[in-house]
Amino acid sequence: MKKKLILEDGTIFIGEAFGSETSCVGEVVFNTGMTGYQEIISDPSYCGQIVTLTYPLVGNYGINRDDFESITPAINGFIVKEIADFPSNWRSERSLDDYFKLKNIPGITGIDTRKLTRIIRQHGTLKGALCHINENVEEVLERLRATETRRDQVKQVSTKTSYPSPGRGSRVVVVDFGMKHGILRELNQRDCDVIVVPYYTKAADILQLSPDGVMLTNGPGDPKDVPEAIEMIKEILGKVPLFGICLGHQLFALACGANTEKMKFGHRGSNHPVKDLATGKVAMTSQNHGFAVEEKSIENTRLEVTQIALNDGTNEGLKHKDFPAFTVQYHPEASPGPEDTNNLFQQFLDMIETAKQEGTTNAKA
């Protein structure tokens, strides 16, 4: 069955449908990773988006039970150059097409994804619609232009209730803004006593859980759409060691007086080089974000820039000058991508131990 991708600027791509036969509207973004499509599909940070993969062949190793980063995918649609109809991998349980049918996610294949990526790079992120070949283009464009970007993505993907993931080590309260399972997996491997709480949990309720540290997770959308989290961070800062990832990094920056801004087309891929300013070393990182901390806004805060992106110079890491708190814009848990920065989880636990030994949270991050 034929399907159309219509962008809000009027560009039309015609290809073959796969997955669900439904139509969808969303923000069209691209990911440059060569592998890891299952983790990308199940990453809650893509909530409400139509994801384009720049690598031309997708689905060749199928879908398995182990590589999901969430239980329910939050993406609206999927765009690939060529989909593999017959995956070949010993772990494969079903094809990408079958999985998308199961989860009611529409996809399109057989279009020029290089052209689509160039359009997004030139004009910035665009809204788009995946629809049936016979749908009226002008009607779809009117609907697209009238559609406002949703502001409740974090509410959609955050856990609705608190739950534990017990361990015998340090107690870490994880504030779930759309958490990838990889973060929980890394904490569990270090025997942390984890309690996951919803994004709207108040500071007093977090502190009542007697945490040794607090983790701010990744998540979708604009950080300014989560004001309750910004207030919570202000209240716990200095009372307990803190580590933030991706959206958690941006929320931390806002809570400390810095500003965030929407990027032209964002960072989404598995091999983004990041430079550590203290050591001069460069790490390859997994990234997925459409907003960034505005560099100039950091100057009049108590924050210190620790890392920058080598591709465009944007901020990739912060630490507080007075309290044990640090954050990164990328994903140290990878999944997919390189694990160059996996040591940050241990750095967080070391910071917790230092705070315990000193009996105060004035230890530097």
Side-chain angles (χ1 to χ4, degrees):
M1 184 180 73
K2 292 288 185 180
K3 210 176 192 73
K4 284 191 294 197
L5 167 65
I6 302 175
L7 302 180
E8 63 178 308
D9 67 352
T11 304
I12 300 172
F13 294 86
I14 297 177
E16 298 290 330
F18 70 93
S20 171
E21 295 182 3
T22 58
S23 299
C24 73
V25 172
E27 184 182 48
V28 182
V29 300
F30 65 87
N31 184 295
T32 58
M34 295 176 66
T35 61
Y37 57 81
Q38 182 170 334
E39 294 93 328
I40 292 167
I41 291 165
S42 57
D43 183 348
S45 294
Y46 284 111
C47 178
Q49 296 179 328
I50 301 174
V51 181
T52 307
L53 293 192
T54 60
Y55 192 72
L57 177 61
V58 178
N60 54 315
Y61 54 87
I63 296 288
N64 67 76
R65 71 169 196 174
D66 298 323
D67 291 342
F68 291 108
E69 288 299 311
S70 66
I71 295 175
T72 304
I75 64 169
N76 281 8
F78 209 52
I79 302 169
V80 299
K81 176 67 174 71
E82 180 182 352
I83 186 171
D85 295 322
F86 304 101
S88 177
N89 184 276
W90 66 274
R91 294 197 303 159
S92 177
E93 297 175 343
R94 56 172 54 93
S95 70
L96 190 57
D97 180 42
D98 289 339
Y99 179 73
F100 274 23
K101 284 184 170 70
L102 179 67
K103 295 297 183 179
N104 199 35
I105 300 171
I108 186 172
T109 183
I111 72 166
D112 188 344
T113 51
R114 289 187 66 187
K115 178 180 179 181
L116 174 59
T117 301
R118 288 197 301 270
I119 290 172
I120 297 171
R121 285 180 59 88
Q122 181 178 353
H123 299 289
T125 303
L126 297 167
K127 287 182 289 186
L130 285 179
C131 56
H132 191 273
I133 188 67
N134 294 327
E135 285 201 45
N136 183 278
V137 174
E138 290 304 319
E139 291 180 0
V140 173
L141 284 172
E142 287 182 17
R143 189 163 71 244
L144 263 180
R145 290 161 183 161
T147 300
E148 293 187 10
T149 303
R150 294 188 64 165
R151 319 291 289 191
D152 63 345
Q153 292 99 326
V154 169
K155 181 180 179 180
Q156 293 180 59
V157 297
S158 175
T159 182
K160 303 301 185 287
T161 59
S162 300
Y163 62 91
S165 181
R168 296 186 179 276
S170 296
R171 173 168 291 180
V172 177
V173 171
V174 175
V175 186
D176 178 10
F177 301 110
M179 176 186 64
K180 288 174 60 186
H181 287 176
I183 293 174
L184 193 57
R185 185 164 54 244
E186 292 297 332
L187 294 173
N188 287 338
Q189 286 178 353
R190 291 164 175 82
D191 203 26
C192 293
D193 183 28
V194 178
I195 301 175
V196 182
V197 300
Y199 75 96
Y200 54 78
T201 307
K202 296 183 182 301
D205 294 328
I206 291 175
L207 295 174
Q208 282 181 3
L209 297 171
S210 300
D212 296 312
V214 172
M215 168 77 72
L216 308 173
T217 78
N218 64 293
D222 187 339
K224 294 177 182 176
D225 291 337
V226 200
E228 55 269 72
I230 298 170
E231 292 305 311
M232 175 272 291
I233 295 167
K234 288 179 181 179
E235 292 183 39
I236 67 169
L237 186 61
K239 297 176 181 176
V240 61
L242 185 149
F243 177 27
I245 292 173
C246 203
L247 183 65
H249 165 80
Q250 298 162 13
L251 291 167
F252 172 72
L254 290 172
C256 293
N259 189 36
T260 56
E261 57 188 351
K262 187 172 176 61
M263 305 173 78
K264 186 175 181 179
F265 49 81
H267 292 176
R268 297 176 181 89
S270 300
N271 287 284
H272 285 257
V274 169
K275 182 178 181 179
D276 186 288
L277 298 182
T279 65
K281 293 182 178 180
V282 175
M284 302 306 292
T285 66
S286 176
Q287 302 202 9
N288 174 17
H289 58 99
F291 289 81
V293 178
E294 186 180 10
E295 198 70 29
K296 290 184 179 179
S297 71
I298 301 171
E299 295 176 0
N300 297 320
T301 70
R302 296 300 295 164
L303 297 175
E304 178 182 337
V305 176
T306 58
Q307 300 177 51
I308 59 169
L310 288 185
N311 287 341
D312 59 11
T314 53
N315 180 265
E316 292 286 347
L318 296 168
K319 73 174 182 179
H320 203 281
K321 295 179 180 179
D322 305 314
F323 305 121
F326 73 99
T327 60
V328 292
Q329 181 61 80
Y330 50 85
H331 289 262
E333 81 285 356
S335 298
E339 299 181 352
D340 294 20
T341 56
N342 188 269
N343 64 300
L344 291 179
F345 289 96
Q346 188 58 50
Q347 182 179 327
F348 176 46
L349 296 181
D350 291 344
M351 185 174 68
I352 287 174
E353 288 304 312
T354 300
K356 285 180 182 179
Q357 291 170 11
E358 295 185 357
T360 176
T361 55
N362 289 328
K364 295 294 179 67

